[in-house]
């Protein structure tokens, strides 16, 4: 059991197209940034519960909750211990990777400089040539429009974008953390 699950049709094609259109017309996008961990992308740092991101949140939040519920149904242990309480982090990102860009360096989200992240989520907003590779699981999650991938955030689930990225890939991504 690798605990990496993808839920197809989490978002409709229309919802994905709307998010991409909102992203492209949003003046809060960063310029393409290359960070020290090998990531090159154009991002919007959005936040659940903030009015300025309502158009994104109204689409993403309920669909993400549905995907999380399906994941917990498959792995009920996640909600069975009083000491294992976890909640959605309000910060999330909408990202665009152009041809050749991506998050090339293997990484995981749980670390000493992050909140106590337990799970990651990624919604693929378009069909893209390159998905996400989970190194230890020898698994590539394809970038299929409307799908949502949920996976543990730990060293056991080191991952990176399939390289080189071919074409344009849009995603929304975020995290759940211990509360």
């Amino acid at each position: 059991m690798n605990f990496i699950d993808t839920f197809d049709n989490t978002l409709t094609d229309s919802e994905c197209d709307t998010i991409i259109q909102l992203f492209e017309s949003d003046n809060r996008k960063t310029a393409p940034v290359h960070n020290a961990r090998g990531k090159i992308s154009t991002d919007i740092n959005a936040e659940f519960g903030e009015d300025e991101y309502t158009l994104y949140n109204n689409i993403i939040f309920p669909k993400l909750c549905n995907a999380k519920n399906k994941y917990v149904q498959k792995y009920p242990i996640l909600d069975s211990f009083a000491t294992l309480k976890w909640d959605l982090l309000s910060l999330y990102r909408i990202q665009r990777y152009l041809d050749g860009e991506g998050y090339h360096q293997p990484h995981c989200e749980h670390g000493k400089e992050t909140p106590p992240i337990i799970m990651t989520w990624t919604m693929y907003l378009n069909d893209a040539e390159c998905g996400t590779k989970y190194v230890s699981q020898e698994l590539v999650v394809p970038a299929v429009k409307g799908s949502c991938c949920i996976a543990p955030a730990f060293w056991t689930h080191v991952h990176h974008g399939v390289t080189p990225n071919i074409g344009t890939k849009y995603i929304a991504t975020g995290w759940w953390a211990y509360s």
Side-chain angles (χ1 to χ4, degrees):
M1 199 176 301
N2 65 25
F3 300 100
I4 301 166
D5 284 279
T6 302
F7 303 96
D8 294 332
N9 304 309
T10 300
L11 296 169
T12 66
D13 285 355
S14 175
E15 289 168 329
C16 291
D17 294 343
T18 298
I19 294 168
I20 290 170
Q21 290 168 0
L22 288 168
F23 176 89
E24 289 300 343
S25 65
D26 197 322
N27 62 4
R28 295 172 289 194
K29 288 189 300 287
T30 63
V33 175
H34 183 275
N35 75 12
R37 293 179 61 186
K39 178 178 174 258
I40 306 169
S41 64
T42 300
D43 300 356
I44 291 176
N45 292 319
E47 196 165 341
F48 292 120
E50 291 294 321
D51 289 343
E52 63 187 288
Y53 300 106
T54 297
L55 295 174
Y56 297 111
N57 295 344
N58 285 347
I59 298 170
I60 294 171
F61 183 77
K63 301 301 181 97
L64 181 60
C65 290
N66 288 339
K68 180 219 176 203
N69 290 340
K70 290 177 186 176
Y71 191 86
V72 171
Q73 283 178 340
K74 187 169 180 180
Y75 307 107
I77 191 105
L78 285 167
D79 280 345
S80 66
F81 296 110
T83 58
L84 192 65
K85 294 298 179 198
W86 51 291
D87 291 306
L88 184 65
L89 289 178
S90 60
L91 176 69
Y92 68 98
R93 292 192 178 104
I94 301 166
Q95 301 174 312
R96 179 186 64 210
Y97 296 102
L98 297 176
D99 198 63
E101 296 179 343
Y103 204 156
H104 307 301
Q105 184 175 341
H107 64 281
C108 67
E109 274 66 30
H110 186 87
K112 69 179 184 175
E113 296 175 9
T114 65
I117 296 171
I118 182 173
M119 305 290 291
T120 66
W121 60 270
T122 301
M123 289 182 169
Y124 295 97
L125 303 175
N126 68 319
D127 289 325
E129 191 74 27
C130 299
T132 305
K133 180 175 183 173
Y134 286 85
V135 178
S136 295
Q137 291 75 19
E138 298 180 0
L139 173 72
V140 173
V141 174
V144 175
K145 185 176 188 176
S147 66
C148 179
C149 178
I150 299 175
F154 304 106
W155 64 270
T156 55
H157 289 74
V158 168
H159 57 280
H160 60 84
V162 174
T163 57
N165 186 56
I166 299 168
T168 302
K169 177 170 64 175
Y170 291 91
I171 65 170
T173 189
W175 314 271
W176 287 282
Y178 291 114
S179 55

